[in-house]
Amino acid sequence: MSAQPLDTRTVTALVGDATAAPSMHNAQPWKFRFLAADRTFQVRADPERAMPHADPTTRALHIGCGAALFNLRVAAAHAGWEPATRLLPDPADPELLATVDLTGPVRPETELAPLYPAISRRHTSRRPFSDEDIPRAVQDALCGAALREGARLLFPSEWHVESVLDLVQDAEGRDASDPGRLEDLVHWTRIGADAVAASSDGIPDYAFGPRKRDGRAPVRDFAGRRPVSNREVATFESKPHLALLGTTGDWPEDWLKAGQAMERVLLEATLDGLATSLTSHALEWRELRWAVRDPQSAMGFVQMVLRLGYGEPGPVTPRRPVDDVLDIEP
């Protein structure tokens, strides 16, 4: 296919696709700059959208920006351009997380464009999933997707799933008694019609999902003790299907790789007909995070816990206008 011209309309559309990525509490902690003369995108961190209590190391911020970077790569390939990516290219500019050079027509072996339809279809679902097993072939394909981005995906054994669920429950108890964590959560949630209508970020109450009557699914209750009108109550799956996404190292470059791998897995899962959600709950506490890891695996550091299954997809959540996150330089 011929590459689309890199005019303002195309560049804006590419960044719009990038911003469809998930991020912690839907904070959307990214900025983009397009250097037209060089045909280069810069993916930058937005430190004003960091969470000092829940994410003091900015690990989650980097993962979210990595997911947006992957979407940008997919969108560029779909538009006919080969995206050449460099992570952390300038040590003197730590907010510059990555560059994407559009080097020429996309190569057939890049194999990113087929994922493009899933960008607009992928939405976090906090609703119950069925107990139907995920076929081994699908699991293997998702593991392969993570490997292609320099990370690992592991479907833990039943005993390990129970251990992870216990750690999530522990994290929930710790969060409830930590004023700083509650402050972050309240800041990034929108309850009530007026708050939802006025917001272009955060998690709106219609995306909280139902309150849990029963079940073991690790779904964070973003309402807490705050009332949400007309909210359902539901029974969730008793044996949720979890997957651990991890990396060998635990530095900003590893977090960016994890974000790209996470988004590749989520897009592949969406095309496979799976509903998806994410939980970093136990990973947000240093003393719990290490225990999430399977000691029998080669995974060094768990970066995200994915919940996968067959069920209703999540709703569309708000996104900031592209004009707010994109600068174009001649």
Side-chain angles (χ1 to χ4, degrees):
M1 62 178 293
S2 58
Q4 296 179 15
L6 292 173
D7 53 20
T8 299
R9 180 178 179 181
T10 298
V11 170
T12 300
L14 293 176
V15 171
D17 289 328
T19 64
S23 58
M24 186 175 182
H25 299 359
N26 195 29
Q28 305 170 48
W30 43 61
K31 293 180 180 178
F32 300 85
R33 183 176 297 160
F34 182 66
L35 310 179
D38 299 326
R39 295 194 312 217
T40 297
F41 281 99
Q42 294 182 345
V43 181
R44 308 187 67 86
D46 185 347
E48 294 183 1
R49 291 176 171 269
M51 298 182 198
H53 306 290
D55 185 34
T57 66
T58 68
R59 183 181 65 86
L61 180 150
H62 282 75
I63 289 174
C65 289
L69 168 61
F70 185 77
N71 275 4
L72 179 60
R73 291 168 52 203
V74 171
H78 174 74
W81 290 96
E82 178 66 29
T85 304
R86 291 178 293 164
L87 301 181
L88 303 174
D90 184 357
D93 187 359
E95 291 181 10
L96 177 57
L97 303 184
T99 58
V100 179
D101 299 320
L102 305 183
T103 57
V106 65
R107 298 176 299 175
E109 61 269 26
T110 300
E111 295 184 347
L112 289 171
L115 296 171
Y116 182 77
I119 290 179
S120 61
R121 290 166 47 191
R122 183 221 61 82
H123 304 293
T124 298
S125 177
R126 300 181 182 90
R127 301 193 62 83
F129 298 167
S130 76
D131 290 322
E132 181 181 352
D133 288 337
I134 299 173
R136 174 58 63 181
V138 173
Q139 294 184 28
D140 290 346
L142 297 180
C143 292
L147 280 174
R148 295 185 69 172
E149 298 302 323
R152 298 180 68 90
L153 189 73
L154 170 70
F155 286 85
S157 61
E158 186 173 338
W159 74 265
H160 192 195
V161 169
E162 290 300 317
S163 175
V164 172
L165 295 176
D166 288 342
L167 292 168
V168 170
Q169 188 173 16
D170 189 348
E172 290 172 348
R174 292 167 182 252
D175 281 0
S177 60
D178 186 310
R181 305 290 177 117
L182 291 174
E183 179 183 327
D184 283 348
L185 186 143
V186 170
H187 181 76
W188 292 105
T189 48
R190 317 291 180 229
I191 296 179
D194 291 343
V196 169
S199 179
S200 60
D201 57 16
I203 302 177
D205 55 20
Y206 64 76
F208 290 178
R211 283 195 182 277
K212 190 187 299 182
R213 176 190 296 116
D214 196 9
R216 296 276 282 158
V219 179
R220 191 192 303 245
D221 189 347
F222 283 95
R225 297 179 179 177
R226 296 171 293 171
V228 177
S229 61
N230 301 316
R231 191 179 181 197
E232 302 174 60
V233 178
T235 296
F236 285 73
E237 61 268 31
S238 58
K239 293 184 177 181
H241 300 298
L242 304 184
L244 308 181
L245 180 82
T247 53
T248 302
D250 198 35
W251 300 98
E253 183 173 353
D254 301 296
W255 303 338
L256 290 170
K257 289 179 180 178
Q260 293 180 89
M262 178 187 75
E263 185 68 348
R264 185 163 200 146
V265 169
L266 292 175
L267 297 184
E268 293 273 10
T270 299
L271 293 180
D272 285 332
L274 291 169
T276 64
S277 66
L278 305 168
T279 177
S280 60
H281 221 154
L283 305 178
E284 294 162 22
W285 291 91
R286 181 182 300 176
E287 55 269 43
L288 299 180
R289 184 183 173 204
W290 184 252
V292 175
R293 175 181 173 271
D294 184 346
Q296 297 180 346
S297 79
M299 185 180 294
F301 298 89
V302 179
Q303 305 292 355
M304 188 61 66
V305 179
L306 285 67
R307 170 177 166 251
L308 307 169
Y310 296 98
E312 290 185 42
V316 177
T317 50
R319 288 296 184 274
R320 299 162 68 191
V322 172
D323 288 347
D324 288 355
V325 300
L326 171 63
D327 291 323
I328 299 178
E329 297 185 5

